[in-house]
Amino acid sequence: MRARHLSIFFIFVFGALGGLLFGFDTGIISGASSLIENDFSLNIEQTGFITSSVLIGSSIGALSIGTLSDRFGRKRLLLVASILFLLGSGLSMTAVGFASMVTARIILGFAVGSASALTPAYLAELADAPHRGSLGTMFQLMITAGILLAYVSNLGFLHHNLLGIRDWRWMLGSALIPAAILFIGSLILPESPRYLVEKGNIDEARNVLHELRKNTNEDPDKELTAIQKIANQPKGGWKELVTFARPAVIVAIGLMLLQQLVGINSVIYFLPQVFIKGFGFAEGNAIWISVGIGIVNFLCTILAYQIMDKFNRRTILLFGSIVMAISIGILSVLNFTLTVQAAAVPTMILIAIYIFGFAVSWGPICWLMLGEIFPLNVRGVGNSIGSAANWIGNFIVSQFFLVLLNMFHNNVGGPFAVFTFFAILSIFFVIYMVPETRGKTLEDIEMEMRQKAALKKSAN
Ligand code: BGC
């Protein structure tokens, strides 16, 4: 019995591995970029572009994978993503100059973007309704584990040119290990039962559902019937995204943009630089700041995993928005009123509280809900759109954060005042726009949406 439980657990761990690579490949560059800059004699713009090229690749990858995933299945495309991960990691480890590094990073980005559009829907479609919150949170848990591993790998390899190979090559190359595990995982993982039904593959869907629900209280045959009913609904394809599924599109884009605009990646990618520039920290200590952030972020996401099926998603989102708004609001005021020396320690504490607020709420729930809110036959495309919005938001924050910091003469109060505005906005977005999905099956969520749209239509 226990062994079976474990195997279901492993399906979700393997299924969420794309998150580990997502976190690793976006986190690793913070430690590697200055080393690459020296080695290839790059200017600041070129180094910046090496960082952001992943985000460009991710936006494109996320956008292009959706229709393919509705057509060829989640599992097959995860396999493709894992091959791209292997290719991108190998090429970035062996890059010989700026152009080859950017090419490698764009390929990696493509893989990261694909994984971010595929994984949430895949996990949501495998999970049973009562546990979908925590199982879906596995994706974010993997992202934060990936970020932490990247920071640790930076720390471990820095100035160690093992076997005569430069330290940064080891840092980037270490992504080959999780990429290889994802590759093997995607060979043995089951296909999503919902995708199988959509394609008329009922027997296989039944087998997968029976296997997945073995140790739960859920009835796989009842679930199968409900999925079949949904799969038989008239299909409008892309048109559905602007008709009855439009609320899902708005919620997905809003959640995803706001998740980035509250500024989390200013901390994840740039905090060491902020402490060097704004508070006069020594360069050597900066990497430890990263490791600290990585640990807080990961531990708080474990907490999110524990609570996700116990409270409504909307309640947790509201809680997170309020914690973020208050912590960075105060941070901003302090940095405009206190001296740099006096503000340093409170800033660190407030940033830890802010990370806590994000990690228990907006971090996991945005990806979780992305997998939940779209109707079956446009789920892949819908996830593509939401995921691309996330990468575009990420790109905007990453491009403008340092510029903003510069504008405010290295006072972090400036950019964080802007992020506070978006944290407050996020409160209203949750109250007025975000539906509750906890405890409902994906089919219930879709039926509710269809009924609402039908009511609205008949009222007009
Ligand atoms: C976000 C990433 C961010 C990470 C931090 C994710 O949910 O999408 O952009 O770096 O959380 O933990």
Side-chain angles (χ1 to χ4, degrees), residues 22 140 143-144 147 259-260 265 268 297 358 363 367 390 394:
F22 168 158
Q140 177 72 8
I143 296 177
T144 55
I147 293 173
Q259 194 210 36
Q260 292 300 325
N265 286 321
I268 301 288
N297 193 20
F358 178 87
W367 293 110
N390 191 275
N394 193 337

Side-chain angles (χ1 to χ4, degrees), residues 82-222:
S82 73
I83 295 171
L84 288 174
F85 272 123
L86 285 169
L87 188 68
S89 311
L91 287 176
S92 57
M93 182 184 186
T94 51
V96 288
F98 176 67
S100 56
M101 181 58 90
V102 167
T103 312
R105 298 279 297 164
I106 289 181
I107 295 174
L108 262 185
F110 208 84
V112 172
S114 311
S116 72
L118 290 168
T119 314
Y122 179 65
L123 296 180
E125 289 183 340
L126 288 185
D128 56 330
H131 300 108
R132 203 178 52 238
S134 48
L135 294 173
T137 299
M138 199 72 96
F139 183 56
Q140 177 72 8
L141 196 59
M142 285 289 178
I143 296 177
T144 55
I147 293 173
L148 181 58
L149 274 179
Y151 292 161
V152 171
S153 158
N154 283 342
L155 190 66
F157 286 118
L158 186 67
H159 304 317
H160 294 293
N161 300 334
L162 302 177
L163 307 173
I165 298 172
R166 286 295 310 263
D167 45 3
W168 64 262
R169 294 191 186 276
W170 285 106
M171 292 173 185
L172 300 187
S174 43
L176 281 167
I177 301 168
I181 303 176
L182 178 66
F183 176 74
I184 297 166
S186 42
L187 289 174
I188 52 179
L189 282 169
E191 180 49 276
S192 147
R194 283 160 171 94
Y195 167 79
L196 288 169
V197 173
E198 175 77 1
K199 293 293 158 207
N201 228 333
I202 310 297
D203 288 338
E204 205 183 329
R206 184 177 302 112
N207 289 343
V208 174
L209 274 176
H210 274 263
E211 192 59 33
L212 286 170
R213 302 291 176 259
K214 252 183 208 162
N215 293 304
T216 70
N217 297 327
E218 304 303 296
D219 175 354
D221 293 315
K222 207 172 128 202

Side-chain angles (χ1 to χ4, degrees), residues 18-97:
L20 191 83
L21 286 149
F22 168 158
F24 193 93
D25 288 318
T26 49
I28 196 78
I29 204 70
S30 68
S33 62
S34 60
L35 305 169
I36 299 170
E37 184 178 294
N38 283 339
D39 215 13
F40 291 163
S41 314
L42 305 178
N43 59 36
I44 294 196
E45 285 76 26
Q46 286 174 317
T47 313
F49 195 65
I50 286 182
T51 306
S52 53
S53 51
V54 158
L55 305 180
I56 297 172
S58 309
S59 312
I60 303 170
L63 264 186
S64 31
I65 208 79
T67 14
L68 296 176
S69 110
D70 283 335
R71 197 146 153 220
F72 298 109
R74 327 293 189 217
K75 173 187 154 93
R76 244 181 256 158
L77 285 165
L78 268 178
L79 188 68
V80 174
S82 73
I83 295 171
L84 288 174
F85 272 123
L86 285 169
L87 188 68
S89 311
L91 287 176
S92 57
M93 182 184 186
T94 51
V96 288

